Amino acid sequence: MEEILKKIESEYGTPVYVYFEKEIKNRIKNVKEIFEGINLIPTFALKANNNPALIKIMYESGFGADIVTVGEYKGAEIAGVPKEKIVWNGNGKSKEDMKFLKDKIKYVNIDSFEEMELWKNIKTENIEFFLRVNPDVDAKTHPHISTGLKKNKFGIPAVKLEEFMNKYNDNRIKGIHFHIGSQITEISPFIDAFKIGLEISKKYNFKKINIGGGWGINYDGKEINLNEYKEKVIPILKYYDEVILELGRYIMGPSGILLLNITRVKQGIDKVFVVTNGGMNLLIRPVLYNAYHEPVFLNPTGKKAKIDIVGPLCESGDKLLWDKELPIPEENSLVYFKNAGAYGFSMSNNYNSTLKPAEVLITENEEIKLIRKRESYEDLYKNIIL
Ligand SMILES: *Cc1c(COP(=O)(O)O)cnc(C)c1O
């Protein structure tokens, strides 16, 4: 690992996101195994990572695309994902986007009565509607990524579904959809939601369901137990003729790292600040969700200290990790952060006029492949008009 990362640094520099094809494919294999015996339409949620070179790998392994925006649709299109494998999600679909996408996708998850009002007057071909139901179930995850409670902005409240079905007798409605949150590490929220789903599905004779994503990965010791999922959740899904799945984090999170250079090791009063050449502009999850991404120093010294790993941006919130007892690394050496393949690059930004980093894939044959060039300063100002 160390050697290949040094090679990547010398060829493409840092900061750089590095992805592992082998891990992506392993995870896809796991998914297929868990859903054995079920007619599964698996999709990848592009909001977790929108690099078409990666989407293409997933598509070639049987995954479609879950998109929220036209921008994500374009990513799926570049990767070659066909219409039959594209699901469109979102609570704020605009009328213009509906007209643009309606014949380019197959599945739409309807978020509200108000959205359905608009679809009523839009002619579509072969589109299938799934009603996103808000079951008022606690996913027991971070509040920002919990979506299935009545206080959350998503979905049609389960208690209003009957009213919805009476109001819209639309034969494009084929089933319901749940996505109760992300980074869910317990099985019971899925069971609770899908049991509610089964009742609804039987009542309206829906033989299809879209079960969303949300599988939690191991950032800090806790992760979803897939054996338990297979044992307790899959039997509920056996009722359906077709199950659509939308996974983001589970596929890409552990399949990528963020590789940075340590610009400075600065002695503070009661801790050591390890200053890297990327911060919350590249990986915002630590400050946004209080998330933990395990760091690995390539050149640790023998000395330990209380450490903050911080970026170079001009605000104190710009940090990747804080108050951890760790070995002090050498200046001008490499550090990488694990589990950064999902919601890493896709949430990155240009704060402080920094450049978006390069992305590199380590292929199954251990070849290094550049899959996104580092942004240039020209890119940064290309839309400016003086
Ligand atoms: C974010 C999202 C997903 C993917 O969630 P993960 O937790 O990354 O698996 C799937 N479906 C919908 C509707 C989403 O909003």
Side-chain angles (χ1 to χ4, degrees):
M1 179 79 155
E2 215 177 299
E3 219 160 278
I4 203 159
L5 294 182
K6 283 185 176 157
K7 204 164 159 209
I8 288 171
E9 185 205 19
S10 71
E11 275 179 46
Y12 301 110
T14 58
V16 60
Y17 271 96
V18 180
Y19 305 109
F20 307 93
E21 185 175 20
K22 227 182 248 171
E23 186 68 25
I24 296 171
K25 290 195 169 165
N26 268 339
R27 294 190 157 257
I28 285 179
K29 203 172 109 229
N30 291 348
V31 172
K32 289 181 178 168
E33 257 168 42
I34 284 152
F35 283 89
E36 228 174 62
I38 286 190
N39 180 28
L40 182 73
I41 313 262
T43 67
F44 174 69
L46 263 71
K47 75 169 189 263
N49 191 314
N50 72 358
N51 191 312
L54 302 172
I55 315 298
K56 187 161 173 276
I57 292 172
M58 296 185 231
Y59 170 58
E60 285 166 359
S61 306
F63 268 56
D66 156 19
I67 61 161
V68 175
T69 60
V70 171
E72 288 178 356
Y73 168 74
K74 298 276 181 191
E77 189 186 31
I78 293 167
V81 183
K83 164 182 166 161
E84 302 73 48
K85 295 237 171 184
I86 303 181
V87 185
W88 187 19
N89 265 302
N91 67 311
K93 303 180 190 80
S94 73
K95 220 189 274 185
E96 295 71 39
D97 289 355
M98 286 167 149
K99 285 183 183 148
F100 178 76
L101 286 175
K102 73 183 177 73
D103 298 321
K104 298 180 172 64
I105 53 169
K106 175 161 177 195
Y107 303 100
V108 179
N109 291 332
I110 308 275
D111 188 75
S112 60
F113 282 73
E114 293 79 2
E115 181 185 337
M116 195 64 200
E117 268 315 304
L118 297 177
W119 283 113
K120 226 169 58 178
N121 303 316
I122 298 178
K123 273 215 185 69
T124 59
E125 289 167 35
N126 305 323
I127 250 184
E128 298 190 0
F129 289 155
F130 287 67
L131 307 179
R132 179 163 186 171
V133 175
N134 185 322
D136 199 22
V137 160
D138 188 357
K140 298 170 191 154
T141 182
H142 190 281
H144 289 183
I145 50 175
S146 174
T147 55
L149 286 167
K150 67 178 182 217
K151 68 173 181 190
N152 300 135
K153 68 175 180 174
F154 294 104
I156 301 156
V159 291
K160 283 197 161 194
L161 202 67
E162 187 162 343
E163 185 188 332
F164 191 102
M165 290 301 289
N166 289 335
K167 188 164 181 191
Y168 303 106
N169 183 16
D170 190 318
N171 58 16
R172 293 175 293 184
I173 301 172
K174 302 293 183 200
I176 55 170
H177 161 57
F178 290 117
H179 177 71
I180 54 173
S182 196
Q183 185 53 21
I184 302 170
T185 53
E186 289 182 40
I187 298 297
S188 60
F190 292 109
I191 298 176
D192 295 348
F194 300 161
K195 277 191 174 160
I196 294 171
L198 196 58
E199 251 173 69
I200 297 169
S201 299
K202 285 181 174 164
K203 181 168 173 188
Y204 296 107
N205 199 24
F206 293 144
K207 295 297 281 178
K208 299 187 177 194
I209 189 168
N210 179 321
I211 59 170
W215 293 9
I217 61 168
N218 186 356
Y219 289 108
D220 54 7
K222 266 177 86 182
E223 68 184 317
I224 191 167
N225 180 337
L226 290 177
N227 290 328
E228 196 185 346
Y229 190 96
K230 187 167 183 172
E231 186 189 320
K232 296 183 180 160
V233 178
I234 294 296
I236 307 174
L237 301 174
K238 288 257 157 86
Y239 163 83
Y240 298 97
D241 292 341
E242 188 177 297
V243 175
I244 301 159
L245 175 69
E246 309 168 333
L247 286 177
R249 188 187 312 273
Y250 175 80
I251 304 293
M252 275 315 297
S255 304
I257 59 170
L258 173 61
L259 181 65
L260 300 174
N261 186 256
I262 295 164
T263 316
R264 196 140 300 124
V265 177
K266 172 177 170 177
Q267 190 63 55
I269 296 293
D270 57 0
K271 57 171 102 173
V272 171
F273 296 101
V274 173
V275 188
T276 56
N277 61 350
M280 68 173 185
N281 53 332
L282 306 185
L283 186 61
I284 203 171
R285 299 192 67 262
V287 282
L288 187 60
Y289 309 125
N290 202 18
Y292 177 67
H293 284 268
E294 188 187 333
V296 179
F297 296 126
L298 266 58
N299 297 74
T301 63
K303 233 172 103 193
K304 275 194 159 190
K306 188 159 82 172
I307 278 177
D308 278 15
I309 305 180
V310 301
L313 311 176
C314 280
E315 80 166 68
S316 300
D318 177 32
K319 49 190 179 179
L320 295 166
L321 178 142
W322 48 94
D323 295 333
K324 274 261 172 205
E325 192 75 17
L326 291 170
I328 303 171
E330 281 174 20
E331 223 172 70
N332 199 26
S333 69
L334 294 173
V335 56
Y336 68 87
F337 291 85
K338 290 186 175 181
N339 295 308
Y343 306 102
F345 188 99
S346 68
M347 292 179 100
S348 69
N349 61 71
N350 296 106
Y351 187 40
N352 257 177
S353 299
T354 50
L355 304 177
K356 296 266 191 110
E359 293 183 292
V360 160
L361 177 73
I362 300 177
T363 67
E364 275 182 307
N365 321 322
E366 306 280 313
E367 276 158 23
I368 299 169
K369 196 175 147 194
L370 183 67
I371 57 170
R372 189 191 307 256
K373 289 193 282 190
R374 184 180 313 289
E375 236 176 6
S376 68
Y377 291 112
E378 241 161 52
D379 292 335
L380 206 54
Y381 292 104
K382 67 173 182 265
N383 293 330
I384 298 302
I385 301 163
L386 287 177

